[in-house]
Amino acid sequence: MGAGSWGTTFAQVLCDAGTPATVWCRRPELAAAINGRHENPDYLPGIPLPPALTATADPAAALADADLVVLAVPAQTLRDNLTGWTCLLPPGALLVSLMKGIELGTCDRMSQVIAQVAGTTPDRIAVVSGPNLAHEIATRQFAATVVACTDEGTAGQLQKACHAGYFRPYTNPDVIGCELGGAVKNVIALAVGIAVGMGLGDNTRATLITRGLAETTRLGAALGADEHTFAGLAGLGDLVATCSSGLSRNRTFGERLGQGMRLDEVLASTTQTAEGVKSSQSVLELARRHGVEMPITEVIAAVLQGALEVGQAAVLLASRSAKPERYGV
């Protein structure tokens, strides 16, 4: 449900793994292009899609008799979209989240939104998270990911459904940790992008990645996540990929800010969602509710709210008081 770059790519992965998939498109003309040209010209131009992948603009047709319902809409639209689809969901279908964000206002993770809206138990909700830059996977470059579900059997079901020759899924019962890793890394990638845009080097980038991982782990521990998750694909792996690649929407967004573009100019220049832009405030609010210090997130949230200039952000992070380093501190 969602024909953006990652939704379309994951549908391709399913097809390549022997799981035929239908993509729901918001616009009928995009569904027609996918069906007629076997290509998503808006998000993955020039990349051929498998014949087993079909598309429709009718949510009822997309959801009919589905065993897996993969949700791939922007995080802040999930609640409204899913509310409209609830009556169409097949009983017993596994609901899968590809989204990496924290809901504004509620500070809910995506799996929590799904449970509330669809009335589904945790054993029927799964999360896919990892270093999964869509364009690389769409061209069938090797990648690995984590499929997280509190139920081992359900996680195994999804693992089998998306295990393609170039896409290796690992299971993990830590849904909280996998979701937090995916959401907070977008905020850290914004910070790295700003630093790169300002002309700062690899030392700065490495510092932000490492300290970003520390504050993600602190938040995860406060929320009951397994801290080992953050050393894996859904934590460090996703963080490194998103902070290092020019394909990353969040890093690219940050770079443009660091180069001097105004926030409204950057927003106007992109057609795809940089989830960290909106989730930064939700992540910060979640941290405050649990008494967790997240200095990088706090600075980025202030920049995006217009309360702090980009140049001041770098100075503020660099001028923090010195302290002992211990993992997670």
Side-chain angles (χ1 to χ4, degrees):
M1 304 300 287
S5 55
W6 185 213
T8 304
T9 297
F10 194 76
Q12 172 192 289
V13 169
L14 290 169
C15 290
D16 288 348
T19 307
T22 297
V23 176
W24 170 78
C25 306
R26 183 171 50 85
R27 293 177 291 108
E29 58 270 26
L30 182 56
I34 292 173
N35 289 327
R37 296 161 51 182
H38 300 294
E39 176 191 357
N40 186 328
D42 289 357
Y43 296 101
L44 297 170
I47 298 177
L49 298 173
L53 194 163
T54 59
T56 179
D58 180 0
L63 291 167
D65 301 320
D67 298 310
L68 302 175
V69 175
V70 181
L71 299 163
V73 296
Q76 304 306 328
T77 72
L78 173 61
R79 189 177 294 273
D80 285 346
N81 277 313
L82 189 54
T83 297
W85 299 330
T86 298
C87 63
L88 305 174
L89 296 174
L94 172 60
L95 305 184
V96 182
S97 170
L98 300 188
M99 299 157 292
K100 297 178 177 180
I102 303 294
E103 189 179 45
L104 287 167
T106 65
C107 295
D108 286 336
R109 293 174 284 106
M110 296 295 99
S111 66
Q112 292 175 305
V113 175
I114 293 169
Q116 293 162 18
V117 175
T120 306
T121 54
D123 63 311
R124 301 306 301 167
I125 301 172
V127 169
V128 176
S129 191
N132 300 149
L133 296 163
H135 190 274
E136 291 185 0
I137 298 172
T139 58
R140 295 178 172 83
Q141 297 181 42
F142 178 76
T145 197
V146 175
V147 293
C149 182
T150 57
D151 183 85
E152 183 179 355
T154 301
Q157 174 191 349
L158 178 57
Q159 180 185 45
K160 182 178 180 181
C162 67
H163 190 177
Y166 57 92
F167 192 76
R168 182 179 179 86
Y170 292 80
T171 61
N172 190 329
D174 182 20
V175 174
I176 296 173
C178 289
E179 287 190 291
L180 288 179
V184 182
K185 60 94 183 183
N186 288 328
V187 182
I188 307 306
L190 287 167
V192 169
I194 288 172
V196 171
M198 294 176 67
L200 301 174
D202 291 338
N203 289 331
T204 304
R205 185 172 64 183
T207 298
L208 289 169
I209 290 173
T210 307
R211 296 312 301 168
L213 181 63
E215 63 183 63
T216 306
T217 304
R218 284 198 298 270
L219 181 60
L223 293 175
D226 181 351
E227 294 185 40
H228 291 92
T229 296
F230 301 106
L233 289 166
L236 180 60
D238 199 4
L239 181 64
V240 169
T242 305
C243 290
S244 302
S245 175
L247 295 174
S248 163
R249 304 171 194 175
N250 292 279
R251 174 177 152 155
T252 300
F253 195 103
E255 280 190 59
R256 292 173 179 172
L257 289 176
Q259 290 163 356
M261 291 179 67
R262 299 193 315 269
L263 179 61
D264 61 330
E265 292 175 329
V266 183
L267 288 169
S269 70
T270 181
T271 59
Q272 299 198 55
T273 302
E275 293 285 11
V277 175
K278 291 188 176 179
S279 285
S280 61
Q281 190 58 47
S282 301
V283 171
L284 180 58
E285 176 60 29
L286 193 60
R288 287 172 174 170
R289 290 182 186 183
H290 292 270
V292 176
E293 185 184 16
M294 299 186 73
I296 299 173
T297 300
E298 189 165 355
V299 165
I300 294 304
V303 168
L304 296 173
Q305 287 182 316
L308 190 67
E309 295 291 333
V310 168
Q312 294 175 311
V315 172
L316 189 59
L317 285 172
S319 62
R320 295 189 75 231
S321 61
K323 59 193 295 186
E325 185 195 41
R326 181 170 59 82
Y327 185 73
V329 174

